[in-house]
Amino acid sequence: MFTVIGERINTTLKKVKAAVTERDANYIEEDVKRQEACGATYIDVNAGARIGHEEEDMKWLLSVIQGATKLPLCLDSPDPAILEMAYGLVEQTPLINSISLEKDRFDPMMQYLKGKECRIIALCMDDSGMPKSVDDIFHRAKTLVSELEGIGFARDDIFIDPLIQPMSVAPENGNMAMDAVEKIMTELQGVHTTGGLSNISYGLPQRKVVNRIFLAMMMAKGFDSAIMDPLDKEIMAVLKTADMLKGADNFCMNYLKAVRAGDIVA
């Protein structure tokens, strides 16, 4: 099944930041409940935008969110100390966002992850910067998987992020992401791939249309998770239809259920 990481509880978003600042629990609860109802697998929680307040904001968000849903959480912070605190407060095995090969991030995160019961998003980034080719992405992915396996992670708990880059920057970025996903899923069998889907449309008009079509194309290459907005009804319709067309929906039951519910409409 496709893993939907609901991206909406992020204090970089104005409404979320305002709700967190004002401790508006109702806003957060309602958003989380809607994400769950629309098909989120994980709720991403990012409290990093209010400098100097991340710890208290993360604690508050975790309390509110876990009172509103039993979905597992994706703990999203670059700070291992924040992740350590949050890990101690979650009620279910979390997904951790994230580790990369950048030395300043890799070393402390590897120390943090040792012995943890969690799943992990691994970014194909190193100290040389963003990847410039499929081989760059795959080499970094292979290194990340090897390192994480070395401290006890199973491949099923590793989500490789190939770092989707905007089409508005370079015309090869779409194919690079798709080909990298195919190579990772073929040659590193057992891992998952994920990423910020909407990065592909940055700087373009009608971004939601671009995102929807790109999701279907990525899924055809094996992409099995995305950091995305589950409240976008049309992109969730694309997801369910693509899942069915890939043969991941036995007897098309999920597709038919979605059609009957009015979630997939021509």
Side-chain angles (χ1 to χ4, degrees):
M1 295 294 293
F2 195 91
T3 298
V4 176
I5 303 168
E7 67 183 0
R8 295 175 56 84
I9 306 301
N10 189 317
T11 52
T12 61
L13 303 175
K14 289 182 180 179
K15 289 183 179 180
V16 176
K17 185 176 183 180
V20 171
T21 302
E22 297 162 13
R23 295 300 191 249
D24 182 355
N26 287 337
Y27 179 90
I28 301 298
E29 288 169 351
E30 288 305 309
D31 194 285
V32 167
K33 288 175 181 177
R34 290 170 66 205
Q35 290 191 65
E36 180 175 15
C38 290
T41 314
Y42 286 88
I43 301 295
D44 189 81
V45 189
N46 185 315
R50 296 207 315 143
I51 304 301
H53 296 276
E54 185 177 10
E55 182 174 359
E56 63 193 78
D57 288 351
M58 179 65 87
K59 285 180 180 177
W60 181 79
L61 279 170
L62 293 178
S63 175
V64 172
I65 292 167
Q66 290 184 117
T69 182
K70 296 303 180 185
L71 288 179
L73 306 183
C74 176
L75 304 177
D76 189 351
S77 175
D79 185 346
I82 297 295
L83 294 173
E84 185 71 61
M85 176 276 295
Y87 182 85
L89 296 175
V90 295
E91 297 168 1
Q92 297 192 62
T93 302
L95 177 61
I96 302 294
N97 187 6
S98 57
I99 191 171
S100 75
L101 290 170
E102 298 160 290
K103 187 169 178 57
D104 288 347
R105 188 181 186 95
F106 179 79
D107 291 342
M109 281 300 296
M110 286 293 283
Q111 285 297 120
Y112 164 75
L113 290 168
K114 284 180 182 176
K116 290 287 190 300
E117 183 181 348
C118 64
R119 308 179 89 186
I120 181 72
I121 295 175
L123 309 179
C124 292
M125 173 74 84
D126 66 16
D127 288 320
S128 68
M130 292 291 283
K132 297 177 175 61
S133 68
V134 172
D135 286 343
D136 269 356
I137 296 170
F138 181 74
H139 174 73
R140 297 174 191 189
K142 188 175 180 181
T143 301
L144 284 161
V145 170
S146 176
E147 293 285 350
L148 289 167
E149 285 183 318
I151 60 169
F153 277 83
R155 288 195 175 189
D156 184 52
D157 291 328
I158 301 171
F159 289 72
I160 298 294
D161 184 343
L163 298 175
I164 297 165
Q165 300 179 59
M167 288 299 298
S168 58
V169 173
E172 65 271 14
N173 282 342
N175 281 326
M176 183 168 70
M178 287 186 284
D179 292 346
V181 164
E182 184 173 39
K183 189 173 180 68
I184 290 165
M185 298 298 274
T186 300
E187 299 191 27
L188 297 174
Q189 290 189 13
V191 305
H192 302 279
T193 44
T194 194
L197 187 70
S198 63
N199 291 347
I200 195 67
S201 63
Y202 181 80
L204 295 175
Q206 300 295 337
R207 292 187 65 185
K208 289 186 176 182
V209 175
V210 178
N211 298 342
R212 293 166 196 157
I213 293 170
F214 187 61
L215 175 61
M217 296 173 75
M218 287 281 275
M219 288 178 70
K221 298 291 190 177
F223 198 57
D224 64 351
S225 170
I227 302 166
M228 57 188 282
D229 182 359
L231 270 56
D232 182 338
K233 187 174 180 178
E234 286 78 10
I235 203 166
M236 292 300 288
V238 168
L239 191 161
K240 291 168 186 174
T241 305
D243 235 12
M244 178 270 292
L245 290 169
K246 285 183 61 187
D249 180 5
N250 285 341
F251 302 105
C252 308
M253 293 303 294
N254 291 331
Y255 174 81
L256 294 171
K257 181 180 177 181
V259 171
R260 287 195 293 270
D263 294 334
I264 298 175
V265 180

